[in-house]
């Protein structure tokens, strides 16, 4: 169990991205009652992008953003930094959840990532973006065959894809576990340092767009007041506003519709020290032309990538957990057994690095998982309270789109987007405990079994598939 203890023993319990050299000073907490036009609750991507886009659409809007700890402390500052074009968790999920809207959703996804990147450039935010594309890895001959079919279809459809057979993929990234690789390269998707986006946007909001930010400020309750106002009771004071946007993602919400549509799923990660040239040579990865951003094509998939200074970050796999009754305590970040499991799985894939490479960081973060595996937006109180939550592991770019939906629902230049099924259809609620825990556990075990079976889905997964609830990565 503790086979790789030595490699992990000095790892700091802290996201790699929370670099103290660039982490900004926290803004003061709320100390008295305040008034504004729009109150945004949550200082992750959704909240930050909502403030930016609301200001772009209504430059005079008076906006306050509050965050219970510090900006970038949620999933937005803890993720893998995979920046994809999808806003609805990939093609298969899009077709299953929103029939007839695939083309429109794909076009919106491309528009969203393009605008995201343009905004970063316009404000001079260096997010360490690399347009690496995304490479899927087959870990068995059966999966390699399926992936080859996928490659042929994609090539036929004119998509920019590259196929690597067993020899070719091992020349790109050397692991004896790889049978093939399929790279999707659309010139947009790639990797970023996510905390740099959070803190870059925070700076823009404070110093260029005139948004007030209070950190260390938790909202306790929100309610409508009269026919036009909202009141948010927060630690430190009451905020009176015309509108409220909840960008609280996986965190427990006082609004039942939000609470029932997402569950918090913990995902853990580890990061190595920068690899030397000799170590890179052993795995063939990271050289010009082979800076792939990788995930294995399994249900319980690992996602792994390089950083600018040639570290590897590694997450996902069997370490993903839902804790009974929505456990979100901060102590759950410190999960030595989960981190050990990740380290073991890392060296199973790259035994050449065993005894050579150490991990410097380990951390965890909470993914808001919805039953439709993508954003769940909503609005109530006559368009005065809106939200966008539940991106399920694909939120780095999709959260900017979720933010767009939420501000449009609040009346900031609404477009055709809010008439789409993505917005008008309700996501199925999660069942109450203990059913929820049992369903998640059964699904996780079934996914692990399917992976061991070369991807063959058992009865439980087929049943979920029939309900449109089968998890597809
Ligand atoms: C380990 C991990 C890896 C991931 N990897 C990827 C990836 O590689 N690619 C990808 O696309 N997606 C990934 N994701 C998902 C992605 O990070 C999220 O979908 C996205 O960051 C969600 O942004 P958000 O702003 O909605 O939520 P968050 O970043 O979680 O922000 C919500 C914020 O609200 C605050 N808050 C909550 N309640 C209150 C309250 N009552 N008062 C005040 N503040 C409150 C929280 O403190 C938090 O800061 C990953 C997630 C995790 C956890």
């Amino acid at each position: 169990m503790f086979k790789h203890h030595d490699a992990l023993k000095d790892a700091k319990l802290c996201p790699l991205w929370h670099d103290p050299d660039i982490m900004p000073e926290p803004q003061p907490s709320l100390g008295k009652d305040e008034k504004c036009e729009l109150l945004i609750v949550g200082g992750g991507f959704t909240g930050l992008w909502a403030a930016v886009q609301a200001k772009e659409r209504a430059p005079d809007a008076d906006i306050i953003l509050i965050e219970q700890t510090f900006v970038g402390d949620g999933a937005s500052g803890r993720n893998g930094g995979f920046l994809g074009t999808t806003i609805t968790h990939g093609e298969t999920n899009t077709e299953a959840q929103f029939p007839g809207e695939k083309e429109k959703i794909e076009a919106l996804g491309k528009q969203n990532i393009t605008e995201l990147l343009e905004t970063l450039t316009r404000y001079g935010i260096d997010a360490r973006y690399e347009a690496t594309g995304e490479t899927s890895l087959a870990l068995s001959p059966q999966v390699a065959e399926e992936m080859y079919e996928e490659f042929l279809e994609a090539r036929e459809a004119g998509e920019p894809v590259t196929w690597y057979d067993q020899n070719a993929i091992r020349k790109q990234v050397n692991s004896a576990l790889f049978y093939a690789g399929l790279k999707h390269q659309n010139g947009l998707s790639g990797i970023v340092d996510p905390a740099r986006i959070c803190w870059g946007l925070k700076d823009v909001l404070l110093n260029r767009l005139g948004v007030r930010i209070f950190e260390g400020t938790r909202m306790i309750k929100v309610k409508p007041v009269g026919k036009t106002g909202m009141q948010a009771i927060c630690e430190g004071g009451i905020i009176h506003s015309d509108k409220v946007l909840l960008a609280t993602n996986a965190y427990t919400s006082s609004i039942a519709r939000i609470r029932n549509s997402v569950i918090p799923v913990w995902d853990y990660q580890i990061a190595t020290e920068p690899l030397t040239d000799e170590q890179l040579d052993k795995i063939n990865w990271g050289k010009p032309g082979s800076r792939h951003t990788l995930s294995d094509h399994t249900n319980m998939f690992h996602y792994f990538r390089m950083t600018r200074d040639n570290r590897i970050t590694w997450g996902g796999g069997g370490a993903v957990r839902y804790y009974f009754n929505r456990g979100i305590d901060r102590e759950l970040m410190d999960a030595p057994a989960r981190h050990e499991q990740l380290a073991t799985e890392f060296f199973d894939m790259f035994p050449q690095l065993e005894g050579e490479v150490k991990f410097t960081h380990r951390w965890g973060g909470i993914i808001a998982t919805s039953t439709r595996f993508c954003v769940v937006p909503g609005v109530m109180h006559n368009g005065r309270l809106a939200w966008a939550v539940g991106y399920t592991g694909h939120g780095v770019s999709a959260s900017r789109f979720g933010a767009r939906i939420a501000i449009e629902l609040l009346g900031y230049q609404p477009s055709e987007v809010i008439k789409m099924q993505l917005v008008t259809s309700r996501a199925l609620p999660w069942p109450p405990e203990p059913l929820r825990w049992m369903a998640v556990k059964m699904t996780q075990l079934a996914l692990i079994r399917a992976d061991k079976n070369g991807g063959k889905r058992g009865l439980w997964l087929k049943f979920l598939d029939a309900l449109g609830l089968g998890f597809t990565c």
Side-chain angles (χ1 to χ4, degrees):
M1 182 69 176
F2 292 110
K3 192 173 152 205
H4 300 298
H5 185 75
D6 274 355
L8 256 181
K9 73 176 175 358
D10 299 324
K12 258 203 303 192
L13 180 66
C14 173
L16 174 67
W17 321 116
H18 286 187
D19 177 351
D21 291 342
I22 54 155
M23 193 180 236
E25 281 295 308
Q27 288 298 295
S29 306
L30 186 70
K32 61 179 176 57
D33 293 356
E34 293 285 353
K35 265 190 184 164
C36 62
E37 176 182 318
L38 171 63
L39 168 66
I40 296 174
V41 183
F45 291 145
T46 304
L48 297 161
W49 281 118
V52 170
Q53 293 178 94
K55 273 291 190 183
E56 282 167 353
R57 292 172 184 218
D60 294 334
D62 179 19
I63 300 178
I64 290 179
L65 184 151
I66 61 169
E67 162 54 48
Q68 61 186 354
T69 55
F70 60 89
V71 165
D73 187 31
S76 302
R78 298 173 170 274
N79 57 66
F82 283 46
L83 181 79
T85 45
T86 181
I87 47 175
T88 45
H89 210 134
E91 198 177 316
T92 316
N93 194 50
T94 307
E95 281 172 339
Q97 306 290 344
F98 312 112
E101 288 188 344
K102 185 176 131 226
E103 274 76 31
K104 200 161 176 194
I105 287 175
E106 281 179 359
L108 284 165
K110 282 201 180 125
Q111 180 193 354
N112 177 61
I113 190 173
T114 305
E115 289 174 357
L116 183 157
L117 293 168
E118 274 169 12
T119 310
L120 297 184
T121 307
R122 177 156 26 99
Y123 289 118
I125 298 172
D126 176 11
R128 302 205 158 168
Y129 166 64
E130 275 184 68
T132 53
E134 290 170 74
T135 305
S136 277
L137 299 159
L139 303 189
S140 70
Q142 298 98 302
V143 174
E145 270 175 38
E146 279 167 34
M147 264 176 46
Y148 189 66
E149 292 298 315
E150 202 186 305
F151 160 71
L152 292 178
E153 272 174 38
R155 193 177 59 178
E156 179 121 353
E159 292 173 27
V161 280
T162 309
W163 176 253
Y164 300 99
D165 65 15
Q166 187 169 346
N167 275 337
I169 192 64
R170 291 180 189 184
K171 278 189 190 137
Q172 296 286 313
V173 186
N174 185 17
S175 167
L177 299 186
F178 300 163
Y179 284 85
L182 172 58
K183 179 174 180 174
H184 287 265
Q185 173 75 295
N186 59 15
L188 292 168
S189 53
I191 43 170
V192 288
D193 172 334
R196 283 172 185 261
I197 299 187
C198 293
W199 300 334
L201 293 177
K202 173 181 166 181
D203 179 59
V204 166
L205 289 172
L206 284 171
N207 299 316
R208 298 178 67 170
L209 298 178
V211 169
R212 288 177 283 162
I213 298 181
F214 297 98
E215 287 174 273
T217 301
R218 188 169 71 91
M219 187 195 78
I220 298 159
K221 210 170 151 191
V222 62
K223 59 177 187 188
V225 180
K227 289 207 168 113
T228 54
M230 295 295 295
Q231 195 183 68
I233 299 160
C234 306
E235 285 167 348
I238 295 177
I239 303 181
H240 304 270
S241 63
D242 301 337
K243 299 159 194 210
V244 174
L245 192 160
L246 297 179
T248 51
N249 210 29
Y251 295 81
T252 311
S253 177
S254 58
I255 307 291
R257 272 178 62 192
I258 302 182
R259 212 169 47 244
N260 295 336
S261 52
V262 287
I263 57 165
V265 172
W266 283 83
D267 188 7
Y268 294 96
Q269 287 197 67
I270 51 180
T272 68
E273 59 196 340
L275 267 61
T276 62
D277 287 345
E278 295 77 53
Q279 290 164 345
L280 290 175
D281 279 343
K282 288 189 179 174
I283 54 170
N284 293 344
W285 186 17
K287 297 182 193 141
S290 82
R291 284 186 67 82
H292 295 275
T293 289
L294 299 160
S295 58
D296 49 60
H297 195 82
T298 54
N299 292 303
M300 304 300 295
F301 63 97
H302 295 99
Y303 53 95
F304 41 117
R305 52 161 286 185
M306 306 215 81
T307 60
R308 189 177 282 181
D309 59 353
N310 292 336
R311 296 167 186 268
I312 298 174
T313 73
W314 174 267
V320 174
R321 282 292 180 285
Y322 168 72
Y323 296 104
F324 185 76
N325 219 6
R326 301 176 185 280
I328 53 165
D329 293 347
R330 281 188 89 81
E331 296 87 75
L332 293 168
M333 278 175 203
D334 187 2
R338 305 279 91 79
H339 294 121
E340 294 281 354
Q341 181 172 359
L342 282 172
T344 304
E345 290 166 356
F346 176 88
F347 288 119
D348 285 347
M349 194 164 279
F350 297 117
Q352 315 89 300
L353 298 180
E354 202 168 348
E356 296 217 5
V357 168
K358 288 198 181 334
F359 299 100
T360 54
H361 295 75
R362 63 185 182 94
W363 69 98
I366 313 173
I367 289 181
T369 302
S370 69
T371 54
R372 64 187 196 181
F373 312 115
C374 64
V375 64
V376 179
V379 64
M380 55 200 280
H381 302 315
N382 290 327
R384 279 179 278 163
L385 175 77
W387 60 88
V389 294
Y391 307 96
T392 320
H394 276 265
V396 173
S397 65
S399 52
R400 182 185 176 277
F401 187 73
R404 169 183 171 178
I405 294 174
I407 61 164
E408 290 196 9
L409 289 170
L410 291 172
Y412 293 97
Q413 295 178 6
S415 70
E416 288 298 304
V417 161
I418 58 170
K419 296 190 182 137
M420 294 170 67
Q421 290 172 72
L422 177 59
V423 182
T424 55
S425 71
R426 287 259 182 119
L428 271 184
W430 285 95
E433 294 292 19
L435 283 180
R436 187 190 312 144
W437 187 84
M438 282 156 58
V440 174
K441 200 78 199 161
M442 270 171 75
T443 308
Q444 199 174 18
L445 291 173
L447 291 170
I448 293 169
R449 252 195 322 273
D451 283 339
K452 284 191 181 143
N453 248 340
K456 210 164 143 220
R457 293 166 90 76
L459 276 180
W460 176 245
L461 292 181
K462 283 186 183 156
F463 170 66
L464 293 179
D465 289 341
L467 295 177
L469 297 171
F471 187 79
T472 42
C473 54

